[in-house]
Amino acid sequence: MTDLPAPDDGILVTLFITVRDVARSRDFYSRVLGGTVALDENPCIVRLANSWIIMNPGGGPTPDKPGVSVVDYEPGDTTSIFLNLRVADIRARYDQWRSRGAEFLTPPLDRGSELRCYLRDPDGYLIEVGQSTGLLHGEHAAR
């Protein structure tokens, strides 16, 4: 249990996502994206590079969040939050993850400051995959 997100000091950031099928999401984040399963369920925790994704089904209010229900994400044409993965070689990751079943919205596109593309996880959460290029030399994204 030493690979769980439990800092000895300070703060460690994790991402919690509500999922409809824990096994399906665990497979996506571990097999497709290459994460390591730290805990199978209740909650499922997958270490992805230097971060952790925590996954559990939704549920009603609890004593520590009275009046708040955790509900499934309803994918569509809008989003207000997404996972951003920065990679060293976007074309290699794109090819690798596609070969494992990931479905990208587009191939990596050159945006000047970075190469970037997006995919969705099994619940429809948007994931940005980016590789800094021009940004490393002071070129910022167009507004």
Side-chain angles (χ1 to χ4, degrees):
M1 294 305 220
T2 59
D3 199 30
L4 293 177
D8 292 327
D9 186 38
I11 296 173
L12 182 140
V13 177
T14 65
L15 175 66
F16 177 94
I17 57 174
T18 307
V19 299
R20 291 174 182 83
D21 182 331
V22 172
R24 180 183 67 176
S25 295
R26 181 178 56 239
D27 177 69
F28 176 82
Y29 283 96
S30 62
R31 186 184 60 77
V32 176
L33 298 188
T36 302
V37 177
L39 193 61
D40 282 339
E41 314 198 354
N42 297 327
C44 173
I45 302 175
V46 173
R47 183 173 186 157
L48 185 60
N50 62 346
S51 299
W52 286 265
I53 310 293
I54 300 174
M55 297 165 260
N56 230 5
T62 57
D64 54 340
K65 56 176 182 46
V68 177
S69 291
V70 177
V71 298
D72 292 333
Y73 170 68
E74 292 298 328
D77 294 335
T78 63
T79 191
S80 60
I81 188 170
F82 55 88
L83 181 61
N84 184 306
L85 303 176
R86 306 309 290 180
V87 298
D89 184 341
I90 195 169
R91 296 199 193 285
R93 289 292 178 178
Y94 175 81
D95 291 340
Q96 179 187 50
W97 292 346
R98 278 192 59 198
S99 75
R100 294 177 179 172
E103 296 179 16
F104 287 82
L105 303 180
T106 68
L109 301 177
D110 188 344
R111 300 189 34 89
S113 64
E114 66 181 345
L115 302 172
R116 189 170 80 190
C117 57
Y118 290 87
L119 69 147
R120 290 192 183 272
D121 83 351
D123 283 278
Y125 289 103
L126 191 64
I127 300 171
E128 176 183 309
V129 182
Q131 177 184 343
S132 295
T133 52
L135 189 62
L136 299 174
H137 308 288
E139 185 177 337
H140 295 275
R143 293 186 183 254

